[in-house]
Amino acid sequence: MRLDELHAWISVDGVELPEFAVEYSADGKEASCWIPSECDKQFAVEFKNTRSSSWQTNAEITVDGIQCGSNNTYCRDHRHPQITSGSRNSVAISAHSRRPLLFAQQALTDDDNLLNAAISPELGSIKVQMRKVISVPSRRRQPVWPGDSFESKVLHERSKKAMGHSVQFGAAYPAINSQADPIEVIAELATFVFKYRPIELLRAQGIAPPEIRPAAAPIEVVDLTVDDDDASEIKQLEARLPVLKKKGVKVKSKSSGVKQEKSFVFAPGEIIDLT
């Protein structure tokens, strides 16, 4: 999705996911859409600013109502210095480890104690808030890691929010995480909201177009009707058939070295050259 010079999207395996039913707010500062989620697929939240400026752009990422940190945008291609970009595909849980973001099957339970449990209204969505910021190095402090806060929520099986998938955090892997300079938000620029569901559900609700199936191979139709010309030809062939049969040659053979007797049948008036 795009709002002026700002662009945000969700990618899986390096490919941008399709966006359905894109909507924009009246003030032009928020965009929302639907995207297809695929179970057990890791994804990345990506964002870009295509206009150079004297100030820094930062994107804060929230999944299912859980804040996953923020990233500043940087110029990654010096041939296009006016374009800055960033991405986030994981969350830091300590100074030396991270957990990847992925779509997964929503965990359900029949425990009635969770039937009326509070559920974030942002469950089922990924939010990207683009902001104008400045770094404030003087505010540097010791990093605080979230630890076990990135745990998937279990829903009651009768919950209205049990829509098939949720964002979960994969197994931790080693990574060196440094604490970035603290930032001060100068202005909120734009908000992008990606509402995700299984593609089958999006199609069933008419949000995504139906699946395009390959066309069946054409069936060859053979015309077996007989016209007047065919009927006339059949009669001529049937009339000639007895004559052709009388012209047949019968040959009787005995074992090798024994005289062979041959008999021939000729049509009346037929002349055979025996020279």
Side-chain angles (χ1 to χ4, degrees):
M1 291 184 289
R2 295 178 183 272
L3 286 171
D4 295 329
E5 70 274 10
L6 303 177
H7 179 199
W9 67 98
I10 309 298
S11 65
V12 171
D13 296 332
V15 179
E16 182 176 350
L17 292 180
E19 299 169 355
F20 307 113
V22 179
E23 296 182 348
Y24 299 94
S25 63
D27 61 6
K29 290 189 175 182
E30 181 170 332
S32 65
C33 70
W34 296 87
I35 58 172
S37 54
E38 186 175 349
C39 196
D40 298 328
K41 278 289 189 178
Q42 294 186 26
F43 67 88
V45 183
E46 313 213 41
F47 37 90
K48 181 190 301 182
N49 184 345
T50 59
R51 183 184 302 172
S52 62
S53 60
S54 58
W55 39 266
Q56 180 71 58
T57 306
N58 174 276
E60 184 176 60
I61 313 301
T62 305
V63 298
D64 291 349
I66 302 172
Q67 289 189 353
C68 297
S70 64
N71 288 76
N72 291 338
T73 62
Y74 295 96
C75 175
R76 303 175 189 277
D77 185 350
H78 294 293
R79 295 172 299 177
H80 304 284
Q82 79 281 7
I83 299 176
T84 60
S85 61
S87 67
R88 175 168 287 261
N89 60 8
S90 61
V91 292
I93 59 173
S94 73
H96 303 288
S97 59
R98 301 183 71 86
R99 296 180 68 178
L101 300 171
L102 69 153
F103 295 118
Q105 198 71 34
Q106 172 64 59
L108 300 176
T109 181
D110 59 0
D111 184 357
D112 288 341
N113 291 323
L114 294 178
L115 182 58
N116 298 315
I119 301 175
S120 170
E122 296 182 357
L123 184 67
S125 67
I126 302 167
K127 181 190 293 185
V128 183
Q129 292 177 286
M130 303 286 286
R131 297 124 18 122
K132 175 182 177 180
V133 300
I134 58 172
S135 296
V136 188
S138 60
R139 296 182 185 176
R140 182 176 292 278
R141 58 185 183 276
Q142 290 298 319
V144 178
W145 306 107
D148 297 331
S149 64
F150 296 115
E151 294 301 330
S152 303
K153 192 174 185 63
V154 178
L155 302 183
H156 194 278
E157 59 188 4
R158 296 203 302 273
S159 169
K160 293 181 180 180
K161 282 286 188 177
M163 66 278 183
H165 292 168
S166 65
V167 172
Q168 297 186 20
F169 303 91
Y173 62 90
I176 299 176
N177 302 309
S178 59
Q179 184 75 1
D181 288 341
I183 58 174
E184 179 180 341
V185 178
I186 304 300
E188 297 287 346
L189 301 177
T191 300
F192 300 91
V193 180
F194 301 88
K195 296 172 286 187
Y196 63 86
R197 298 290 187 277
I199 185 62
E200 296 80 10
L201 183 57
L202 294 181
R203 287 173 177 155
Q205 295 180 342
I207 297 172
E211 182 179 8
I212 300 176
R213 300 181 180 276
I219 300 175
E220 184 178 358
V221 178
V222 180
D223 186 2
L224 299 178
T225 58
V226 179
D227 56 21
D228 293 341
D229 292 340
D230 293 335
S232 176
E233 186 177 354
I234 290 172
K235 289 182 180 181
Q236 291 177 8
L237 292 173
E238 288 177 341
R240 289 192 61 200
L241 186 60
V243 176
L244 294 172
K245 286 182 177 181
K246 289 180 181 181
K247 289 183 178 182
V249 178
K250 296 181 180 179
V251 179
K252 293 182 179 180
S253 301
K254 294 186 178 180
S255 60
S256 178
V258 181
K259 182 180 179 181
Q260 297 180 347
E261 178 183 355
K262 299 181 179 180
S263 62
F264 302 90
V265 178
F266 305 111
E270 185 175 4
I271 300 174
I272 304 301
D273 186 0
L274 298 179
T275 59

